[in-house]
Amino acid sequence: RIRPAANPSSYVLKCSAPGVPMARWHCVASELANAMTPPNVSSTGLISDVASELLLDPTSANQEATHESALLAAPLPTADGRWIVLDQGRQWQCTAWVDGRACDDSEAMDSDAAARALVLGGEAIAKVHARLADLPSPAVVVDRTPNEFASADQLPRCFRERMKRLHELNPWLCAGSLLRERLPGTASQWRALLERCVSVDGVHQRSIERSNNELPAYQELAHRLMAATELLVEQGTSIQSMLIAELTERMESSPQGWRQNWVLRDVHREHILFDESRQTVKGIIDHDAMDWDCPMVDLARWAGSFPVQLEGVLSASRLDLAVEGYTRISSANCGVELADGARPRSFLIKSPTPEELALGATLLRLNAWVGMANWVDWIGLRRRIFFSSPERLSSRISALIDSVCHFC
């Protein structure tokens, strides 16, 4: 429990699932919080409840950083200096609340609203990347977390992980029609599985009234997963071969190596929040996937979270608009000062190179294909549990199917 003594603010407590590995950002948590703190931020004067273990440090200058900097909602330390509190196998952390609203489905389908959001999101990502450039590289922090990071001169994580996942998918995609035998065969069987695996509140034994109310949503989600299964069975091997060849070509396209930095790796529409006018980014939430990787990873993830139907409707592609916003910040401030008004210092990000732009286009396709396959695998084969509304999950899988159909 946190009691504000002055300048009342809201905070978010996040709790991990049991057994989740420690996030990569933890070894640079102090540097991360400092990097996201604007200059001359005074203490918030928070008073912590001594009855609670998760106490904010009342002397920390970082605790309203995201309110002032409109950047990343960075972690806040406890009174005894911890960034994560471990309790019964779960990890608890606290961040400042970002008072904003994400770009919803209706806005994302509106070409003008989507174009504006894509550019503004690209600008916000550039500002965050500039701040993250202050963090030490894995080569510096390796002594803190032995063997946790690849060395800076190794192939970036986006290549290694995606190639690994493509090869993991190969065996059951090559099985063709045999894959169907391992999955629910009818919409009713899928729905029965989904009612056990997908839940908003984690309660799987529902009342008859609730089940009846949610039945259409589960039915729709079942049909989406059946459609994804058909796409995997009918075109899986050809799409896999195409994507593996394309990713291999990208690997070899930059003999001098790839630029790498700390990046967020999970920047999508739900994680960039705008003000009510939709003209300003209030902040970016969720830094848990942070790692050392190519900056283009964030731009591809952001652009790919918008509907593929926008391609051909917008003045430029989704990725091009995100890059346009990114380039506005990097080009205008390179070597001068940060665009968000922070202290003057070297601006360490650069606009994407042609090789990086080509990588971004490849990542858009890879993210859609692997994402669609993952949902079939996670729910249909592994029976994993997800705390999500069936409507939200159905919309996400439908968007992935649309994207795959667009490029294949």
Side-chain angles (χ1 to χ4, degrees):
R1 294 189 296 276
I2 304 165
R3 295 178 293 142
N7 302 321
S9 300
S10 299
Y11 297 87
V12 176
L13 284 177
K14 298 174 62 177
C15 181
S16 72
V20 173
M22 190 72 74
R24 300 293 181 98
W25 62 264
H26 187 250
C27 66
V28 290
S30 180
E31 293 93 335
L32 172 62
N34 289 334
M36 292 301 153
T37 304
N40 303 319
V41 173
S42 61
S43 173
T44 60
L46 290 178
I47 297 178
S48 301
D49 185 341
V50 295
S52 170
E53 186 179 15
L54 191 63
L55 307 179
L56 295 185
D57 179 2
T59 65
S60 172
N62 299 323
Q63 295 181 8
E64 285 189 345
T66 55
H67 296 284
E68 299 296 330
S69 65
L71 288 171
L72 181 67
L76 303 175
T78 63
D80 59 1
R82 289 177 293 170
W83 301 96
I84 291 178
V85 173
L86 300 177
D87 181 62
Q88 299 182 11
R90 296 178 181 269
Q91 301 171 32
W92 292 81
Q93 59 171 295
C94 186
T95 64
W97 175 268
V98 177
D99 188 17
R101 183 166 60 88
C103 182
D104 60 27
D105 290 343
S106 61
E107 287 178 282
M109 287 300 295
D110 179 277
S111 58
D112 291 337
R116 180 174 60 251
L118 280 162
V119 172
L120 290 174
E123 292 179 356
I125 291 170
K127 294 177 184 180
V128 169
H129 283 182
R131 292 294 185 88
L132 294 179
D134 272 351
L135 273 59
S137 73
V140 175
V141 301
V142 70
D143 291 337
R144 306 184 208 174
T145 52
N147 303 319
E148 188 175 2
F149 296 100
S151 63
D153 59 350
Q154 279 188 339
L155 200 63
R157 179 174 175 175
C158 62
F159 287 104
R160 291 181 281 114
E161 284 201 345
R162 283 162 179 78
M163 188 63 81
K164 177 183 177 183
R165 186 55 177 153
L166 287 172
H167 286 298
E168 288 173 346
L169 294 173
N170 263 337
W172 55 272
L173 289 177
C174 291
S177 59
L178 293 177
L179 176 61
R180 290 195 184 97
E181 299 177 8
R182 300 175 58 192
L183 294 167
T186 65
S188 60
Q189 290 174 342
W190 268 109
R191 189 183 69 240
L193 173 61
L194 290 166
E195 289 175 1
R196 296 195 302 271
C197 292
V198 179
S199 170
V200 176
D201 53 12
V203 178
H204 307 296
Q205 299 299 323
R206 300 162 181 269
S207 67
I208 295 177
E209 180 181 0
R210 285 187 66 188
S211 294
N212 286 338
N213 289 338
E214 295 177 349
L215 186 58
Y218 282 107
Q219 188 77 10
E220 179 65 21
L221 179 54
H223 285 297
R224 296 285 75 74
L225 283 165
M226 290 181 69
T229 300
E230 284 304 304
L231 198 51
L232 291 168
V233 171
E234 297 298 328
Q235 301 190 50
T237 53
S238 61
I239 293 177
Q240 279 276 111
S241 299
M242 178 189 74
L243 290 175
I244 289 174
E246 185 176 346
L247 185 58
T248 301
E249 182 181 351
R250 294 289 168 263
M251 286 178 172
E252 299 169 352
S253 66
S254 183
Q256 302 304 317
W258 294 88
R259 283 193 298 156
Q260 297 185 65
N261 190 20
W262 286 99
V263 297
L264 301 176
R265 297 182 60 254
D266 194 25
V267 189
H268 51 75
R269 276 199 289 126
E270 296 175 356
H271 286 172
I272 296 187
L273 306 184
F274 296 83
D275 66 359
E276 286 302 317
S277 72
R278 322 307 279 160
Q279 301 292 327
T280 303
V281 172
K282 295 288 288 183
I284 301 179
I285 60 173
D286 197 347
H287 57 278
D288 285 342
M290 262 184 61
D291 203 355
W292 189 257
D293 208 339
C294 295
M296 183 54 68
V297 167
D298 285 349
L299 292 172
R301 180 71 73 182
W302 170 240
S305 67
F306 284 77
V308 72
Q309 290 88 342
L310 292 169
E311 301 289 354
V313 176
L314 300 172
S315 59
S317 72
R318 296 169 296 166
L319 182 60
D320 285 345
L321 288 170
V323 170
E324 177 186 330
Y326 195 92
T327 303
R328 284 181 184 178
I329 302 303
S330 59
S331 299
N333 297 277
C334 184
V336 184
E337 62 182 3
L338 291 180
D340 60 7
R343 65 193 184 281
R345 65 172 175 80
S346 177
F347 200 81
L348 299 178
I349 66 168
K350 298 179 180 178
S351 299
T353 65
E355 292 80 12
E356 289 169 332
L357 292 173
L359 172 61
T362 296
L363 291 176
L364 278 177
R365 292 185 278 275
L366 279 167
N367 291 345
W369 174 250
V370 172
M372 186 187 75
N374 281 345
W375 284 113
V376 174
D377 180 18
W378 293 336
I379 297 177
L381 298 178
R382 304 192 194 189
R383 272 49 171 182
R384 283 176 54 179
I385 305 299
F386 292 93
F387 297 152
S388 173
S389 72
E391 295 91 348
R392 180 178 175 186
L393 192 51
S394 180
S395 175
R396 179 174 296 182
I397 294 174
S398 181
L400 293 171
I401 293 172
D402 289 341
S403 294
V404 170
C405 291
H406 177 77
F407 72 73
C408 71

